[in-house]
Amino acid sequence: MFSLFKKFFGKYDFEPLIKSINFQEPELEKLTDEELKGKGLDLKKTVQNGKSLDDALVEAFALIREAAKRTLNQRHFDVQLIGGIILHQGKIAEMLTGEGKTLAATAPVYLNALSGRGVHVITVNDYLARRDAVWMGQIYYALGLSIGCLTHEGAYLYDPEFTTQQIANSKAQSVDDKDKKRDVLGAFKVFQEFLRPISRKEAYLADITYGTNHEFGFDYLRDNLSYDLTQQVQVTRLHYAIIDEVDSILIDEARTPLIIAVPDTESSDYYRIFTRVVSQLSENEDYLVDEKMKTVSITDEGIDKVEKILKLKDLYGPENLRLVHYLEECLKAKTLFHRDKQYLIKNGEIIIVDEFTGRLMYGRRYSGGLHQAIEAKENVQVQQESRTFAQITIQNYFRLYKKIAGMTGTAQTSAEEFHKVYNLEVVSVPPNKPMIRKDNSDMIYKTLEAKCRAVIKEVKERHLEGQPILLGTTSITNNEIISDLLKQAGIPHEVLNAKNHEREGLIISQAGKLGAVTVATNMAGRGVDIVLAGNPPVSEEAQKIKELGGLYVIGTERHEARRIDNQLRGRSGRQGDPGTSRFFLSLEDDLLRIFGGKKIKSLMESFNLPEDQPIESKLVSKVVNEAQKKVEGFNFDSRKHLLEYDDILNKQRTTIYRKRQELLEKKSLPQILGMLDILWMNHLENMEALRESVGMRAYGQHDPLVEYRRESHIMFKDMMNGFDKWLEENKEKIEEAQKNMAATQNNTQTSKPQPSPEVLKKIGRNDPCWCGSKDSKTGKPIKYKRCHGV
């Protein structure tokens, strides 16, 4: 085994560390649970007294493996420990799907949490944050560590004594609507047991905190908008983060900044007006669409037509710049954003669909007026536009951490970007058992219709044999097309997409059963475990499915990123199981039509094949691969471009937030922060306007980035000078108000009852709290351990 490791890892020699960890196992097995916990607490003291984490690694990894065996009945494989070492070193561990990344991460999480500086484990959704906090929390708890969890609903602490059923029922009782009541109960149902509600600040004070990138990022922004030190929640330094599905978070979501906005009173009528205007424009005549770059530009003829419709003399005159904004956003909404692909309509609202995961992104809105333009296009209520109050990109938020690491099944195809943007190295970890899935070459057809016929024919043949099949689609629209064709062919199947996500767990649990056919968007592609013969598995049925070739994954088109295709393939052939995968493509698919159609079309014509005859050759698959590389290159450049501009803004943001924190710590007046916030909000708007305007300067042989850097520096300097001048002019008023505020606070504090030292010495964890607090529902006194004893 170790010779295989050496061959696989080359310059990395993990053998001595793994041998040392394994050597400790027999001795640790002899300890009682209490002795094991004591050993963990002793190691924590040793680390906090100066022992380096590298020196503590062997003992920490051996302890976590033993705790996992006792609590979860799961023993870390050697390859999982190797993955853990890579994560501790601040690298990306690429581990195949089904290899147990979640368990592998517990070792470096535990090791780094011993320092007492807090470890953040970043997940892609609230469900996984709750699941992992409860599931993996058992291991950490057995070694004496505390576990926090952040979700959209609230913050929690892992507590084995706590049950949430009463809370769930009480919350649901106040809801009249049956569907909403079910949603409320559902939110508490999944992995919510043992999670005790606490404040967000307490969740950050835990040794280990689970949550999504959005929860951590927005808390950072909110902290830097706070008017009171006690209201800030991210009180610990951003020390170490392990990012699950790291490619999804650091690459796929990198183009979408986290934004806190406030409503603007701008009229929504303009979006409806310009929606009607653009509906009268014709493609190629009045505007040009570039599908490769995902841009749309209006032509001179189009400008003339718009001016005629609106009875304007000069659309691009200074007095009409706001109108140009409405026109551009409505054009984008018409040409680049499509219903049931980028978004869907639910209860009269536009809900964004995550193109990489296929999931609904509740609460997220397109910025810059685009969301309003889509609302106008779809004739739903147009919400007010917003003004940006605070923002940060995912890239720059995670750069705030002293050390980050990540894990995913698909990282090597993006290794260059990880290195250039985050200085993260990708290291591939071998599977515990050899991967025997058979990945067949692509089948490429001339037309979409011919491809669909071939897919249905293939499904019908395999379904009659009983082999379970998972069909992957890239959008809800295509998902429903395939479903309709299966219905016409009389093939029973389940459909999984963002429209029926409520049944996701049930559908996935049965997707590996004999004869099962499941049509799914990217929802079934990442972090989904499809068990052969269903969940729980039936051994005889599982054996029969293995004889049939395991789960058969059929991709009905290629995604723009190879990683997403690999995630879909990875649902099959996990942990040494057999499996099969194949992609069916057509020249009319978006990817091939935009990026590789002509090359493949000439190949098809040279073969002189009939419509229903596919090309199945490595040469064609290579062309498809090149098309994907092209798109990945475009997207990489786009993210790099975004980061170059945001780096300039990030330096200014850091300066402002540092200044703001200094004022907050000096107990400055809110009018203080308030003035600085208003100036910063206006500055963000000015920076956005500057960024749009410098793009035009490329025509005059000026580098837009250089122009942006130069002018933004002048703008920022003017803003800070303006703030300092305001402080100087109002110095006497501010000092007087601060004296009054300090006096008021002193009076308030002296009047508050405080416990005497004797009371605190005598009070037990299960005694009523000294403050006299009572439960609002039962009226009984709250125990000290649940109140101030927390």
Side-chain angles (χ1 to χ4, degrees):
M1 175 64 88
F2 287 115
S3 61
L4 173 68
F5 288 165
K6 225 166 196 175
K7 184 180 176 183
F8 195 89
F9 291 108
K11 61 178 177 177
Y12 302 105
D13 187 8
F14 297 112
E15 183 179 347
L17 285 173
I18 300 300
K19 277 186 174 177
S20 299
I21 295 165
N22 291 340
F23 182 76
Q24 294 206 9
E25 192 167 18
E27 289 302 312
L28 292 178
E29 287 176 333
K30 296 174 187 175
L31 301 178
T32 65
D33 289 352
E34 281 304 309
E35 288 171 336
L36 188 73
K37 187 174 188 175
K39 205 161 180 65
L41 292 172
D42 288 343
L43 182 61
K44 187 178 182 182
K45 281 180 192 171
T46 309
V47 168
Q48 292 183 10
N49 285 335
K51 186 172 186 175
S52 75
L53 292 179
D54 288 342
D55 290 339
L57 185 147
V58 168
E59 188 177 356
F61 276 44
L63 282 168
I64 204 79
R65 176 190 261 179
E66 185 59 33
K69 279 160 56 182
R70 297 185 187 197
T71 56
L72 304 182
N73 197 27
Q74 293 182 6
R75 179 183 178 276
H76 292 70
F77 302 129
D78 286 352
V79 288
Q80 287 175 308
L81 294 178
I82 288 172
I85 295 167
I86 292 165
L87 292 171
H88 165 64
Q89 292 173 345
K91 297 182 175 73
I92 291 174
E94 184 185 63
M95 300 175 70
L96 291 179
T97 48
E99 289 298 309
K101 295 187 289 291
T102 307
L103 187 65
T106 57
V109 167
Y110 172 64
L111 171 62
N112 284 267
L114 294 174
S115 66
R117 284 174 286 192
V119 173
H120 297 167
V121 185
I122 317 297
T123 64
V124 290
N125 57 51
D126 283 348
Y127 165 81
L128 291 176
R130 286 195 300 267
R131 184 199 75 175
D132 293 352
V134 171
W135 188 19
M136 299 298 118
Q138 300 169 68
I139 309 174
Y140 307 126
Y141 190 83
L143 294 172
L145 296 187
S146 56
I147 305 94
C149 176
L150 296 169
T151 71
H152 189 62
E153 291 94 24
Y156 307 91
L157 191 73
Y158 172 72
D159 182 350
E161 298 175 16
F162 185 76
T163 177
T164 60
Q165 195 54 47
Q166 290 176 324
I167 291 178
N169 287 332
S170 65
K171 278 182 176 283
Q173 280 168 11
S174 61
V175 178
D176 295 326
D177 185 271
K178 283 185 180 178
D179 290 336
K180 287 186 179 177
K181 184 174 285 192
R182 186 194 65 222
D183 289 344
V184 169
L185 287 167
F188 282 86
K189 199 174 178 183
V190 186
F191 285 102
Q192 198 76 7
E193 212 72 9
F194 314 128
L195 289 178
R196 175 160 58 83
I198 55 171
S199 70
R200 292 185 87 81
K201 184 181 284 190
E202 288 172 302
Y204 279 104
L205 288 170
D207 294 308
I208 299 156
T209 309
Y210 283 86
T212 65
N213 53 314
H214 297 115
E215 294 303 315
F216 287 104
F218 280 122
D219 279 342
Y220 169 76
L221 292 177
R222 282 189 286 264
D223 276 358
N224 285 289
L225 290 172
S226 174
Y227 284 70
D228 185 345
L229 276 174
T230 62
Q231 297 302 311
Q232 293 185 318
V233 297
Q234 252 180 28
V235 285
T236 53
R237 188 182 171 193
L238 299 177
H239 173 61
Y240 177 48
I242 287 185
I243 306 169
D244 192 13
E245 305 295 359
V246 66
D247 55 326
S248 175
I249 290 173
L250 292 191
I251 292 181
D252 296 340
E253 295 201 31
R255 283 182 290 182
T256 309
L258 302 175
I259 296 173
I260 291 179
V262 292
D264 195 2
T265 54
E266 190 73 2
S267 171
S268 303
D269 292 340
Y270 281 110
Y271 286 105
R272 296 203 182 279
I273 292 167
F274 276 89
T275 295
R276 288 195 292 270
V277 169
V278 300
S279 69
Q280 300 174 54
L281 303 182
S282 305
E283 188 174 351
N284 296 327
E285 183 184 330
D286 301 318
Y287 60 85
L288 302 172
V289 179
D290 186 334
E291 291 187 276
K292 285 186 182 179
M293 301 303 292
K294 295 181 181 174
T295 59
V296 58
S297 55
I298 192 161
T299 63
D300 290 340
E301 290 81 359
I303 293 169
D304 291 340
K305 194 176 278 189
V306 171
E307 288 174 343
K308 192 175 179 182
I309 294 169
L310 296 175
K311 297 177 182 174
L312 291 173
K313 285 186 178 178
D314 183 7
L315 177 62
Y316 283 83
E319 72 281 7
N320 293 325
L321 279 181
R322 194 69 188 162
L323 300 184
V324 174
H325 165 73
Y326 297 129
L327 172 65
E328 288 176 348
E329 296 308 313
C330 289
L331 256 183
K332 279 186 208 170
K334 177 187 176 181
T335 58
L336 301 175
F337 290 81
H338 307 287
R339 185 172 178 173
D340 288 345
K341 191 168 184 180
Q342 284 89 6
Y343 65 89
L344 56 79
I345 301 174
K346 195 169 186 181
N347 300 326
E349 286 185 56
I350 302 295
I351 310 292
I352 300 172
V353 178
D354 187 328
E355 63 174 307
F356 298 102
T357 66
R359 298 179 185 278
L360 293 180
M361 302 171 81
Y362 289 104
R364 295 280 290 276
R365 291 177 65 83
Y366 294 116
S367 59
L370 176 59
H371 211 95
Q372 284 80 3
I374 295 172
E375 286 169 335
K377 179 182 90 168
E378 296 293 354
N379 202 26
V380 301
Q381 184 182 352
V382 180
Q383 305 291 333
Q384 285 184 332
E385 268 199 273
S386 298
R387 297 186 71 192
T388 300
F389 217 53
Q391 72 174 63
I392 191 168
T393 58
I394 292 290
Q395 293 146 314
N396 272 320
Y397 173 71
F398 282 108
R399 284 165 151 192
L400 295 170
Y401 282 84
K402 187 180 177 185
K403 178 170 78 170
I404 62 171
M407 50 189 182
T408 179
T410 47
Q412 283 294 358
T413 54
S414 300
E416 181 190 0
E417 184 164 355
F418 281 124
H419 177 67
K420 285 185 176 176
V421 177
Y422 302 101
N423 198 27
L424 282 170
E425 187 179 347
V426 176
V427 183
S428 296
V429 180
N432 182 51
K433 293 179 181 176
M435 207 271 287
I436 59 170
R437 183 184 69 235
K438 186 181 177 184
D439 294 327
N440 294 308
S441 55
D442 301 338
M443 305 282 276
I444 303 180
Y445 294 82
K446 279 186 179 180
T447 67
L448 179 63
E449 198 178 324
K451 177 188 78 170
C452 289
R453 283 198 298 268
V455 167
I456 301 304
K457 183 172 179 282
E458 182 79 351
V459 171
K460 200 166 191 174
E461 288 174 5
R462 298 298 183 105
H463 175 64
L464 287 172
E465 292 176 7
Q467 187 173 12
I469 301 164
L470 173 67
L471 291 116
T473 63
T474 59
S475 69
I476 297 170
T477 302
N478 293 344
N479 185 265
E480 291 174 343
I481 288 170
I482 295 293
S483 175
D484 288 341
L485 292 171
L486 288 171
K487 282 177 189 170
Q488 291 169 27
I491 301 170
H493 62 282
E494 286 282 2
V495 176
L496 177 60
N497 60 42
K499 286 184 176 179
N500 68 338
H501 63 96
E502 295 88 357
R503 296 184 61 243
E504 178 181 357
L506 177 63
I507 292 169
I508 292 301
S509 70
Q510 303 303 307
K513 288 180 73 69
L514 203 65
V517 177
T518 310
V519 186
T521 57
N522 296 336
M523 285 178 71
R526 189 182 285 276
V528 171
D529 192 6
I530 296 176
V531 181
L532 293 186
N535 201 1
V538 181
S539 55
E540 285 182 21
E541 189 177 332
Q543 187 55 44
K544 189 172 181 184
I545 291 169
K546 286 179 182 179
E547 289 168 7
L548 289 168
L551 178 68
Y552 184 20
V553 170
I554 294 178
T556 59
E557 52 189 309
R558 290 278 197 166
H559 196 276
E560 286 186 353
R562 287 168 291 168
R563 291 177 294 103
I564 313 299
D565 292 342
N566 291 338
Q567 286 284 352
L568 178 64
R569 276 200 177 106
R571 300 314 101 199
S572 178
R574 296 156 78 92
Q575 280 293 326
D577 283 340
T580 316
S581 77
R582 190 191 289 277
F583 278 80
F584 287 73
L585 313 175
S586 87
L587 296 180
E588 295 176 350
D589 292 349
D590 287 347
L591 179 77
L592 297 183
R593 181 175 55 78
I594 299 168
F595 291 94
K598 286 180 183 175
K599 220 173 196 179
I600 295 177
K601 199 166 189 176
S602 62
L603 280 170
M604 293 285 273
E605 286 167 359
S606 67
F607 284 116
N608 196 26
L609 297 172
E611 192 178 84
D612 282 336
Q613 181 69 40
I615 289 184
E616 184 185 2
S617 76
K618 288 183 179 177
L619 177 63
V620 178
S621 294
K622 188 182 176 185
V623 175
V624 174
N625 208 37
E626 283 173 2
Q628 287 181 303
K629 282 182 182 177
K630 260 188 212 174
V631 187
E632 288 168 358
F634 277 123
N635 291 337
F636 179 22
D637 290 341
S638 171
R639 288 187 291 266
K640 192 166 168 259
H641 191 61
L642 174 75
L643 188 62
E644 286 170 342
Y645 279 88
D646 195 62
D647 278 344
I648 296 164
L649 184 61
N650 196 48
K651 287 174 185 172
Q652 298 177 358
R653 181 192 298 114
T654 305
T655 303
I656 279 283
Y657 286 175
R658 192 187 302 120
K659 175 86 171 173
R660 201 181 186 284
Q661 194 66 18
E662 286 169 6
L663 290 169
L664 203 58
E665 287 168 2
K666 287 177 185 174
K667 297 185 178 176
S668 300
L669 290 175
Q671 297 95 291
I672 299 194
L673 296 173
M675 176 55 71
L676 189 61
D677 288 343
I678 289 168
L679 289 171
W680 177 240
M681 183 169 70
N682 290 335
H683 181 70
L684 286 175
E685 286 188 351
N686 293 336
M687 290 285 278
E688 185 61 33
L690 173 64
R691 185 170 167 184
E692 288 178 10
S693 69
V694 294
M696 301 296 290
R697 300 185 195 180
Y699 295 109
Q701 306 302 309
H702 294 283
D703 185 336
L705 185 63
V706 173
E707 296 283 297
Y708 180 79
R709 184 182 289 114
R710 181 179 61 80
E711 293 197 26
S712 66
H713 176 71
I714 296 167
M715 287 163 56
F716 185 71
K717 199 173 174 183
D718 288 345
M719 180 193 71
M720 294 306 290
N721 288 340
F723 180 66
D724 290 340
K725 187 180 177 184
W726 181 85
L727 283 178
E728 190 60 36
E729 288 172 354
N730 293 273
K731 189 176 180 181
E732 290 181 11
K733 288 180 184 176
I734 292 168
E735 287 175 353
E736 183 63 31
Q738 280 179 321
K739 284 177 188 175
N740 293 336
M741 188 172 73
T744 305
Q745 285 177 342
N746 287 336
N747 291 335
T748 306
Q749 285 170 359
T750 52
S751 64
K752 271 188 179 178
Q754 297 292 324
S756 65
E758 290 76 23
V759 168
L760 284 176
K761 279 181 187 175
K762 291 178 185 176
I763 196 165
R765 279 174 52 75
N766 291 310
D767 293 335
C769 189
W770 56 264
C771 70
S773 296
K774 291 185 179 179
D775 189 289
S776 59
K777 294 182 182 65
T778 64
K780 293 180 181 178
I782 296 175
K783 292 179 181 179
Y784 176 68
K785 69 178 182 182
R786 300 274 188 240
C787 194
H788 281 80
V790 171

